[in-house]
Amino acid sequence: MPAFALAHLYAPQVNEDVLTYIERIQATLDPFGGRFRVHGAEVEVKEGDWPGTVVIVEFPDLERARAWYDSPAYQEIVALRTRHIPGATLIVDGVAPDYDARRTAARLRERAAR
């Protein structure tokens, strides 16, 4: 099942450290099968507030997403970004290809009825 690393970058500012980070991040993702799914895109807010932008990286599974973030290669460069761009980063498990939200709703209804 895929997993994702998501970063909500509140006020991205490009400078030399950030450019170095961007140039080096792909080499940290490759050993873990990480692939950018969203990077540098304009965010269209439909509900609520969302200052900044979002980055989404897909991994084959949760173990590899965690291993990437904790890897010495990524830890060596992460401060190049975090010193200059405030934000939140999370790792989250994806859903199976056959996921159907109706089954989730049914389980929630069942629990609520107990």
Side-chain angles (χ1 to χ4, degrees), residues 67-79:
W68 161 75
Y69 188 87
D70 295 335
S71 71
Y74 186 66
Q75 289 304 306
E76 183 178 307
I77 68 168
V78 67

Side-chain angles (χ1 to χ4, degrees), residues 61-110:
D61 53 51
L62 195 55
E63 288 177 11
R64 283 184 261 195
R66 289 175 175 151
W68 161 75
Y69 188 87
D70 295 335
S71 71
Y74 186 66
Q75 289 304 306
E76 183 178 307
I77 68 168
V78 67
L80 295 172
R81 176 183 53 80
T82 59
R83 278 196 304 256
H84 304 287
I85 301 176
T89 301
L90 58 98
I91 293 176
V92 61
D93 214 355
V95 296
D98 65 342
Y99 177 80
D100 186 325
R102 293 172 292 196
R103 289 193 301 261
T104 299
R107 282 193 302 273
L108 292 171
R109 285 183 186 282
E110 184 179 302

